[in-house]
Amino acid sequence: MSDTNQSSIKEFIIVGFPGLQPQYHSLVALVFFLVYVTILIGNILTTALLFLERSLQKPMYYIILNLALSDICFSTVTLPKIIVRYWFQLKSISFVGCFVQKQLVHYFGTLNSFIMMLMALDRYVAICFPLRYHMLISNRTILILSCMLWLISWIFPTVTTIHQLALSYCGPNTINHCYCDSISITNLACDDRTFSTVVSFVLAMLVLLVPLSFTIFSYGHIIISVLRIASTQGRYKTFSTCSTQLCIISLYYIPRCTVYTANLLLVIISADWRILTILLYSLLPAMVNPLIYFFRTKEIKQSLMKRFRGEKIAVQTEKISSVCN
């Protein structure tokens, strides 16, 4: 390890959007703040409902619970720093803090990818092997698989973090992104970063393509199984049981695959548009997922309405009681 390693840079500077004019900083900070609040409210509400409603304590909803928790964590790791960067002009992040953020960003991104695979597995067994579903997919099975995913997901970003920490960083120290990520940090290394870049790329493709391949395989078999059902009503009813998950999976994978394809085709886009695209496919699913749960999942919608009506009746009863007293 070189003498200039790590100690020559004490902090990194988060640039955010390189082309953004100063007069728009407060507006961008406000937008990020509203995005963060929306993500927190939607996913905390989802988490609370899944914990409190016994009728929702089923394998499919435990998977949704994992995704909601992961979305809360990912947004909390990424958004507060960029909010204070634009609102209070606090651009710097410590050397260690940047690597911690990078580790967590890729950890929760990896975890989300594996949760999508688990979601596809659940629907694959439910539709292709309905008679064996309750034997193969139980709450205990999902709990064990979920714990394994939360642990295994830590391995992939840790490998890249170890490689990147072994590099020398002697300047510049500007991160052209809204948060520290693997590519931004590696590009600042003074050493030959070829091997580290290859390792990061291979692991990123592994994390993306293995779950994606299994998801495509699962839904291919699901579509074939649905088409074999004789009645149109039966086909619609069966496919509707996995429509929510399909929306969530599509929202996660399609933008990512589009960006990676554009990179492979050497499509040149500005730094600002690249960062905006990454933020959209990273944060938009976390914002939209709760709406998909509430509007496309019948049981969640019914449970939410039941609790809302119960609270409303309780408030009205309390008002009547206070008037009578």
Side-chain angles (χ1 to χ4, degrees), residues 6 10-12 14 73-74 76-79 81 93-109 153-154 156-158 160-162 164-165 169 175 179-182 185:
Q6 298 186 12
K10 301 298 183 182
E11 63 181 19
F12 291 100
I14 301 293
C73 293
F74 181 86
T76 301
V77 166
T78 55
L79 286 174
K81 181 57 187 176
I93 182 171
S94 68
F95 185 92
V96 173
C98 190
F99 273 89
V100 170
Q101 187 184 50
K102 173 262 167 193
Q103 172 77 8
L104 293 175
V105 162
H106 291 288
Y107 168 59
F108 291 114
S153 297
W154 190 258
F156 296 89
T158 301
T160 61
T161 299
I162 291 172
Q164 288 160 352
L165 281 171
Y169 299 91
I175 301 288
Y179 50 79
C180 297
D181 71 327
S182 185
I185 291 176

Side-chain angles (χ1 to χ4, degrees), residues 164-175:
Q164 288 160 352
L165 281 171
L167 298 174
S168 298
Y169 299 91
C170 51
N173 65 336
T174 53
I175 301 288

Side-chain angles (χ1 to χ4, degrees), residues 13 30 54 58 64 77 123 165 191 195 213 240 305:
I13 303 299
L30 178 61
R54 293 183 63 85
K58 301 175 182 178
I64 290 177
V77 166
R123 291 301 86 194
L165 281 171
D191 300 332
F195 182 70
S213 299
S240 65
M305 293 304 296

Side-chain angles (χ1 to χ4, degrees), residues 254-269 277:
I254 290 176
R256 281 171 169 77
C257 291
T258 302
V259 171
Y260 287 134
T261 302
N263 290 336
L264 288 174
L265 295 176
L266 302 179
V267 177
I268 300 174
I269 57 176
T277 304

Side-chain angles (χ1 to χ4, degrees), residues 301-316:
K301 183 164 58 175
Q302 288 176 343
S303 297
L304 185 64
M305 293 304 296
K306 183 177 70 175
R307 287 197 168 268
F308 177 76
R309 287 169 185 163
E311 290 291 334
K312 192 174 180 181
I313 291 171
V315 170
Q316 290 175 347

